[in-house]
Amino acid sequence: NAGVTQTPKFRVLKTGQSMTLLCAQDMNHEYMYWYRQDPGMGLRLIHYSVGEGTTAKGEVPDGYNVSRLKKQNFLLGLESAAPSQTSVYFCASSYSGTSGSKNEQFFGPGTRLTVL
Amino acid sequence: AQRVTQPEKLLSVFKGAPVELKCNYSYSGSPELFWYVQYSRQRLQLLLRHISRESIKGFTADLNKGETSFHLKKPFAQEEDSAMYYCAQNTGNQFYFGTGTSLTVIP
């Protein structure tokens, strides 16, 4: 099992450009999450999904869109990138999101995005 | 808003010394709390959760509802414990992570 994979690993964008980050998991998890990690800010939840075809806003959703057309994939889109979106983006998945032993999150390796 | 606070950004201890990484939460209900760890060049991974009441790699964490704390402790730090540690809480479907504490164990 590959677990959680993220594509690409690195990307440099110019302000105003768009891009899509792909997250894939092969663990048949229902829940998937996108976080951004910034120095001194920890991990902040951007959007999440509780199942195929559903998405919801997290703590910092502005400037991002997501889609969960297939259970195994969770896409994060930046329509018009801004320098404030320079960050490391992490995808995670879990079998469940509610309390209990099945809500352990499994993380991807991260995508380092720089917006000039 | 639900918040998790880790007051120490950096923490250095000598090998063999006790270590405590502090975490305070603000959720008024019954929180579910976790410690995640990120070793150098590895992915973020679950270290332990409060409902399990287990010791992982010598680390333990006790939920103190009176002090709204979930501090991570280890009696004798090892060099391989050097890593970034994140406290997190689950409220419904969302996880809230603290800002992290970078632990360095000095040989």
Side-chain angles (χ1 to χ4, degrees), chain A residues 31-100:
Chain A
Y31 286 63
M32 296 187 75
Y33 311 81
W34 274 108
Y35 295 90
R36 58 178 290 171
Q37 183 185 45
D38 302 291
M41 303 292 286
L43 277 80
R44 292 181 293 170
L45 182 65
I46 304 171
H47 286 279
Y48 65 100
S49 168
V50 302
E52 181 179 317
T54 72
T55 63
K57 294 181 180 180
E59 191 180 359
V60 289
D62 294 341
Y64 305 94
N65 57 74
V66 288
S67 64
R68 183 99 181 269
L69 298 179
K70 292 183 178 181
K71 186 177 183 178
Q72 62 268 33
N73 295 337
F74 195 29
L75 279 65
L76 178 71
L78 286 73
E79 289 187 350
S80 180
S84 61
Q85 293 178 304
T86 293
S87 186
V88 180
Y89 292 86
F90 287 97
C91 176
S93 71
S94 63
Y95 184 79
S96 167
T98 53
S99 63

Side-chain angles (χ1 to χ4, degrees), chain B residues 39-95:
Chain B
Y39 300 103
S40 178
R41 296 181 181 152
Q42 293 188 28
R43 304 183 184 200
L44 197 63
Q45 58 188 285
L46 178 67
L47 179 62
L48 54 80
R49 64 176 82 216
H50 89 273
I51 60 173
S52 299
R53 293 181 167 271
E54 55 193 348
S55 173
I56 303 293
K57 298 185 179 182
F59 285 98
T60 58
D62 292 320
L63 178 61
N64 186 322
K65 291 187 178 180
E67 296 182 357
T68 60
S69 68
F70 188 56
H71 303 328
L72 184 67
K73 301 177 183 179
K74 185 170 182 176
F76 307 103
Q78 303 299 314
E79 290 179 64
E80 55 266 29
D81 297 329
S82 295
M84 192 75 175
Y85 291 81
Y86 291 95
C87 182
Q89 72 176 21
N90 179 22
T91 56
N93 292 326
Q94 296 198 31
F95 272 72

